[in-house]
Amino acid sequence: MTDMKPGAGASKKKTVMSGIRPTGFLHLGNYFGAIRNYVKMQEEYDCFFMVADLHSLTTHPDTKELKTNVHRVLAENIACGLDPEKAALFCQSHVYEISELYLYLNMLAYTGELEKTVTFKDKIRQHPENVNAGLLTYPVLMAADILIHRAGYVPVGKDQEQHLEMARTYAKRFNHRYGEIFPEPEAFNFGENLLKIPSLDGGGKMSKSENQMATLYLADDDEMIRKKIMKAKTDAGPAELNSVKPDYIENIFQLMQLVSAQDVIEKFESDFNHCSIRYGNMKKQLAEDMVRFINPIRQKAADIMMDEKYLQEVMEKGAEKARVSSVATMKMVREASGLNYF
Ligand code: TRP
């Protein structure tokens, strides 16, 4: 009998699955927008956190740096508090069943709908010279990542919601055609915890690829952190009591909320309202508080990066955990779809 409740598995806990591509360095937005929540979730749910190395091949065919990037993304996540003893931390390419399920799901995915995917259209615009079929079927592979664990919840940002919707579509199509195997995965909603971390140049949010001087990376050294914060846009200060803050000033206050003490923030709020704020001092304070926050994560990640043996063990243990649900799901999939004739 198939239990259709999301996350039904050996344990009673609900199953959560998410992936992160090993491209670029993790930044403050990744921490406060995602990783910090993963760290909480690992206490309550059966968590699968996966390094999407196969996905990275769709846009980064040169693999010279892949090993370092995979190690770094693991090391940084662990340094932020993800615990390989609690969650399954693994690499996509180590669990072959994902690729097998991807093949089955490809027969249920129509090229017309894949071509309409927003991320696909963005990518062909950015790289017209490399419009490969893997890029087109990127959402199918992502659906396989999720469905292979029959996961109920997927913590993703806005930019991945369409992909999650497609995963639900493929789950429904499979169930309709071959029998009820897959729960439909839902977006995991962090509620108030869903924070957007503003970039330091006053526009948009921190990002892996855009304007590196406006983004604080977990690997930035103390001097770099200070330099980036001191360059953040400010002005001469408000001319009237209790003014509305311009966006770029609001952003600096917002960053302070993440790492500074409440009384410090209140002092600068009051200075702003009384037109006596000195943005130079405020940025110095923010820089020191940010250094105090990022420095231990950076050092811990660097130590883990040096310990290849430990990283190997983490990946092996994670893949072993991920294979349990993957092997079980593929057995059901093969049987349900009629490939059970020997
Ligand atoms: N596509 C996601 C991103 O670019 C990464 C990812 C791969 C993912 N597989 C996943 C996210 C499965 C959630 C679930 O951020």
Side-chain angles (χ1 to χ4, degrees):
M1 210 195 77
T2 313
D3 187 342
M4 286 300 294
K5 281 196 285 302
S11 73
K12 289 275 180 301
K13 288 184 187 169
K14 290 183 173 152
T15 304
V16 166
M17 193 279 146
S18 197
I20 176 156
R21 273 177 303 155
T23 52
F25 289 73
L26 295 186
H27 53 73
L28 217 56
N30 298 126
Y31 179 82
F32 286 103
I35 304 171
R36 188 178 58 157
N37 293 311
Y38 297 173
V39 173
K40 286 190 208 136
M41 289 168 130
Q42 67 186 354
E43 307 295 337
E44 277 178 62
Y45 299 92
D46 253 339
C47 290
F48 293 90
F49 296 125
M50 184 195 78
V51 179
D53 54 348
L54 297 176
H55 271 122
S56 76
L57 297 179
T58 62
T59 49
H60 295 66
D62 182 351
T63 53
K64 271 203 298 294
E65 315 240 305
L66 188 55
K67 182 175 170 185
T68 312
N69 289 340
V70 166
H71 283 184
R72 186 175 343 96
V73 93
L74 282 168
E76 288 184 332
N77 274 286
I78 296 168
C80 289
L82 275 196
D83 183 348
E85 301 292 331
K86 293 179 181 157
L89 260 184
F90 66 103
C91 251
Q92 193 177 29
S93 63
H94 293 167
V95 182
Y96 308 148
E97 287 76 14
I98 299 172
S99 301
E100 189 186 355
L101 181 58
Y102 164 62
L103 182 143
Y104 283 74
L105 297 179
N106 266 318
M107 318 308 174
L108 300 168
Y110 300 111
T111 53
E113 61 195 6
L114 292 167
E115 279 158 0
K116 280 192 217 130
T117 314
V118 173
T119 49
F120 177 67
K121 290 197 285 191
D122 284 347
K123 280 176 187 155
I124 61 179
R125 217 174 303 123
Q126 288 156 6
H127 292 284
E129 76 294 346
N130 184 25
V131 185
N132 61 77
L135 205 54
L136 180 68
T137 55
Y138 184 109
V140 187
L141 181 56
M142 182 163 151
D145 296 335
I146 300 165
L147 299 180
I148 198 81
H149 302 297
R150 305 174 62 242
Y153 298 110
V154 185
V156 287
K158 269 247 161 303
D159 61 326
Q160 298 295 313
E161 273 174 8
Q162 189 180 24
H163 291 164
L164 186 56
E165 183 65 49
M166 294 166 88
R168 277 196 290 274
T169 302
Y170 305 142
K172 271 187 278 198
R173 274 187 203 149
F174 186 97
N175 290 346
H176 184 68
R177 189 168 297 174
Y178 299 117
E180 300 280 320
I181 301 281
F182 298 117
E184 285 176 38
E186 293 166 26
F188 191 95
N189 194 338
F190 296 119
E192 288 166 23
N193 289 329
L194 192 58
L195 287 176
K196 278 219 174 84
I197 308 305
S199 83
L200 292 165
D201 57 6
K205 50 178 191 159
M206 286 193 186
S207 138
K208 268 187 188 172
S209 46
E210 279 161 45
N211 193 359
Q212 307 209 333
M213 281 311 283
T215 295
L216 293 166
Y217 296 93
L218 301 179
D220 281 345
D221 65 30
D222 296 354
E223 276 321 300
M224 182 58 87
I225 295 167
R226 293 189 181 104
K227 190 168 150 199
K228 286 180 177 177
I229 292 178
M230 294 315 287
K231 280 173 81 123
K233 179 175 171 182
T234 53
D235 53 29
E240 279 175 40
L241 294 179
N242 303 314
S243 304
V244 175
K245 297 187 189 97
D247 286 354
Y248 48 91
I249 299 298
E250 182 62 51
N251 288 352
I252 296 176
F253 275 97
Q254 226 177 305
L255 290 170
M256 258 199 163
Q257 289 287 352
L258 303 174
V259 293
S260 301
Q262 205 51 40
D263 58 332
V264 169
I265 301 168
E266 279 162 20
K267 174 203 171 305
F268 286 107
E269 286 280 0
S270 157
D271 289 353
F272 180 88
N273 289 331
H274 292 94
C275 302
S276 58
I277 193 156
R278 314 257 307 247
Y279 288 131
N281 289 347
M282 183 182 183
K283 289 197 282 187
K284 264 192 207 133
Q285 175 77 46
L286 174 62
E288 291 321 306
D289 292 337
M290 196 58 83
V291 164
R292 206 165 347 103
F293 177 78
I294 291 180
N295 176 301
I297 297 178
R298 181 186 70 237
Q299 302 220 14
K300 188 154 184 226
D303 289 346
I304 297 170
M305 277 290 273
M306 304 270 283
D307 194 346
E308 279 211 27
K309 190 166 157 286
Y310 170 73
L311 285 168
Q312 288 296 347
E313 283 166 12
V314 167
M315 286 188 280
E316 268 166 38
K317 185 186 291 201
E320 225 169 88
K321 286 194 217 170
R323 267 182 220 121
V324 175
S325 42
S326 305
V327 167
T329 301
M330 280 320 296
K331 193 163 176 294
M332 290 194 275
V333 166
R334 285 186 220 107
E335 278 180 15
S337 46
L339 281 90
N340 54 352
Y341 31 70
F342 77 103

